[in-house]
Structure formats: C-alpha cells, structure tokens
Amino acid sequence: SSICLVCSSPSAHSLHFGARTCKACAAFFRRTISMGIHYACTSVAATVPCSIHYHLRMICRACRYEKCLGVGMKEGMVQRKLDENNKSSPPKHRKGINTELRASSNYGARGVNQGWKEDEPVPAEPMQDRRSSSTSKDSFDVRQGPFMNSDDVIAHYRDSEMALHDRRRMLHAPDARLLDLFDDREEAPFRREHLREFNIATFAGPSRSDLMCVVEQTRDLSLFKRLTIRSDKTLVVRYVYTVDYVLASAFLTEKLGMKENILVLIDGTFLRMKPLPLTGYEENAHAQFKTAQEWETNKAFIPLFIRKWTEVIIPFCEMRLSFNEYVLLKTLIVYQMVRYRLTEDGRRLCSQHRDMIISALHRTAELEGVHDPVQRVGEIILLMSTIINYTSSLIRQCFNITVCNQLNADTEIKLDSMIQEMCTWKF
C-alpha cells in the first residue's frame, strides 16, 4: 500500500522514521523533533482528537504529531540520524540550529536528487554581517556579488519578484486594468476574480510567455550577472524557470486558493483539489475524456499537480512565509540546485551568492521581529528539501514527455518548441 498512515495521502511510497508515511508528514515530523517544537491542540473538545487528512493536516499540528507517534514514527530515529551526521562531520564554531541543519540539508545523502552530490551544507547562519549603514546606489551593485549588504539584497529581490508579478498580470489577467499594475504588487499578480478554471482540452504545458517572464527575472539575479560562460547562464535560466513553476504556484495558492481547496497555476488558471481530480489512470478513465489527446495530457500532468498539492503546497502554506522570505527562498533553491552543475568558476560564484541569500534570510527574520532568527531560517531550509525533491521529479517527467516518447505518436503532447528545447536536456 502507498497510503500514508498519518494523513491518508496516496503518495507514501517508502518508510520514514519507522512508519509508512508521505514525504510531507515525514518532513513535518523531522522539523518537530529537530526544532524541539511543541504544539497546542486547536480543538474545542480536548477529549476528541482532530481529523488528520492530507487536505486538512495543517489544521491541528498537535494532533498530527500525536498521530505520527501513534502509527510508529520514532523520535529516536530522527535524533540518531542527526547524531550520526554530527559525528562524521568536523566541529563547527557555530551555534543554534546549525547541527540539525547540516543533517537535514545534506540532500545527496538522503537521495533527494539522484546524481547530485552535496558536499557542503547550507549555512545555518550568515557567514558574516553584510549589513551596512550606507544605502546609496553605490553600495548596491549586482556585479559586486557577495559584497552587497543584506538590506539591499532583500530590496533587490523583492523588486524583481514584483516586476515578475506585473508581467504575469498583464499576460494572464484579461480583465485587469492598467491601474492594477500598481495595486498590492507583493500580494499576488492576480485577484480571485481574475482566475479561470483549468481546462485539460486547451492545456499544452508551460508556455513561451511564461518563459519570457522568467528570463527577464533571471537577468536580475546577482549570480547571473557575474557568470561569463554561456552554458552556465543557460543552466541558470533552466533552473529559475523550473523552480518558479513550482514555487510561484505554491505562493499563488496560499494567497488565492487555499481556503477554497483550489490549486492556482502561474497562468491564472486553477484546479479544484477537493475531491482530487482524475489522474487518468483509474479504471475506464479514458471514457471521461473527449479525445485520446486529452487523456494522455491529463495522465502526464495531473498526477504532478496532485503531488505538488500534497508535497509542496501544503507544507509551504504551513510555514506562513512573508513575501520577503518567499522571494529569498526561491532564489536560494535555484542556487542550491544549480551549484554542482556549473563550471568550477560558476560554483565558486554560486557559493558566494548562496551565502549572501542566507544572510538576507537572517536579516529578514530580524526585521520582522522573529524571536529566534536562526530557528526560523532552519525551518525554511528544511522546507527547501521537500521543494527540491518535487522539482527534481518535475524535471524528470518533463524530460520523459519530450524525449523518451512515452506517448503514442498519434497522441503526442505538443509543447512549445522553446519549452521543448529546455526539457530535452536532462539538467
């Protein structure tokens, strides 16, 4: 069975900490133990445990944690894994949550991204204080890389994300007005009334206009401006596009769709996730579709959307990220995933810029009055592993669709030529 014993998600394909659970519940359990978090039940009837289901598992974390223990997940297995990583690593003169982060962010050891080895953990604290009392234009030059101060880094990536929202609003919100370009830019590129229901008959995968939006944002990356080799730049574009495709949807869903159980995509369309949509693999499912093309397209993409909902969007919403945390997390994931694919010079630059983003996350926590900035950044980095796992799966699936000819010739999914070019290289 692939049913999660905690939340009944159909995506529990392996054992985690002694019990068969989905990755989202495993990540929740690991965060709870490693961070020493204590929860209070949200139920008014203390004697009745809350219902824990993958649609509702974020409602009461206390009962979710108790159910994790009840199905056999073992706290000691989390701590033992942390201890093993600490013993095998040289001591670091850092404090707080860093030892836990070293264990949780060693993606290669946990098999999150096959073929990608992580030999340097994500720092849990800033490498140095990069803040500066100067806010002049000269103090912020994206070509200077790691010498930017954290306040300016935050402002730069925030502005870049808001500009991306403006482009998406112009492209995908047909009823939007010109004045809308200047309203609540950080909240979302759309309002609820702009959203259109997803239609498998007209869906053709990611579009060139979406790619155009992201290419413009990639040009704003401080790392991208420092790279000199074309292959490195192309690689960064691929990863920025893929990470944005995953994370922007999570952000939009939190802002516009979670209360209604709808998954919002970056083009302003939405899918109803309660009940879950047909995957196309159910018995006699083909009879539900007008054409074989629709059926094949549904089978290729809808299971990915369901996984995004259960493995990425629900944990993302649980974190309640601020807008600044969201834009920095998105950049950090790109840098973490792309680093070991770059040339030697590109890897060196990427490490510098990655550390710069970590410092900016700490600074954001301080500015937002977080009681323990180190713990907050640690929780964000733990969330990052879940997102990287799903993003890697998305890359493999898009590669299979475009290259491995999974589909019959008569029902081939026709992706845009430039999107197809991006997918044909298994990055």
Side-chain angles (χ1 to χ4, degrees), residues 200-228:
I200 195 66
T202 58
F203 179 69
S207 69
R208 184 174 297 203
S209 60
D210 297 325
L211 177 59
M212 177 190 69
C213 289
V214 173
V215 166
E216 287 304 309
Q217 185 180 48
T218 307
R219 296 180 190 276
D220 286 336
L221 289 180
S222 54
L223 171 65
F224 189 81
K225 292 177 180 288
R226 298 282 313 265
L227 296 174
T228 58

Side-chain angles (χ1 to χ4, degrees), residues 141-153:
D141 181 351
V142 291
R143 293 171 298 178
Q144 297 304 312
F147 302 107
M148 295 185 293
N149 66 70
S150 291
D151 290 345
D152 285 340
V153 172

Side-chain angles (χ1 to χ4, degrees), residues 307-349:
R307 281 194 59 197
K308 183 193 293 187
W309 176 263
T310 58
E311 296 179 19
V312 175
I313 290 179
I314 290 178
F316 178 90
C317 292
E318 286 181 338
M319 284 295 297
R320 300 181 183 274
L321 298 176
S322 68
F323 183 72
N324 289 347
E325 287 175 328
Y326 159 67
V327 299
L328 292 171
L329 171 63
K330 193 165 82 165
T331 307
L332 180 62
I333 291 173
V334 171
Y335 289 170
Q336 188 71 4
M337 291 190 75
V338 78
R339 181 173 180 266
Y340 290 97
R341 300 289 187 180
L342 297 172
T343 61
E344 182 176 355
D345 186 56
R347 287 196 297 272
R348 178 183 58 81
L349 289 170

Side-chain angles (χ1 to χ4, degrees), residues 17-18 33 74-88 103:
F17 307 117
I33 301 303
K74 297 177 176 58
E75 295 176 331
M77 294 185 72
V78 178
Q79 189 59 49
R80 184 166 65 250
K81 185 171 184 179
L82 297 177
D83 293 342
E84 288 172 356
N85 277 272
N86 292 339
K87 289 178 182 179
S88 63

Side-chain angles (χ1 to χ4, degrees), residues 17 27 30 81 85 103-113 382 385-386 389:
F17 307 117
R30 183 179 64 247
K81 185 171 184 179
N85 277 272
S104 63
S105 60
N106 190 352
Y107 308 120
R110 290 169 42 227
V112 169
N113 192 357
L382 286 171
S385 67
T386 299
N389 180 57

Side-chain angles (χ1 to χ4, degrees), residues 279-291:
T279 64
Y281 290 97
E282 298 84 355
E283 186 176 0
N284 297 322
H286 66 279
Q288 303 295 320
F289 300 91
K290 295 180 180 178
T291 66

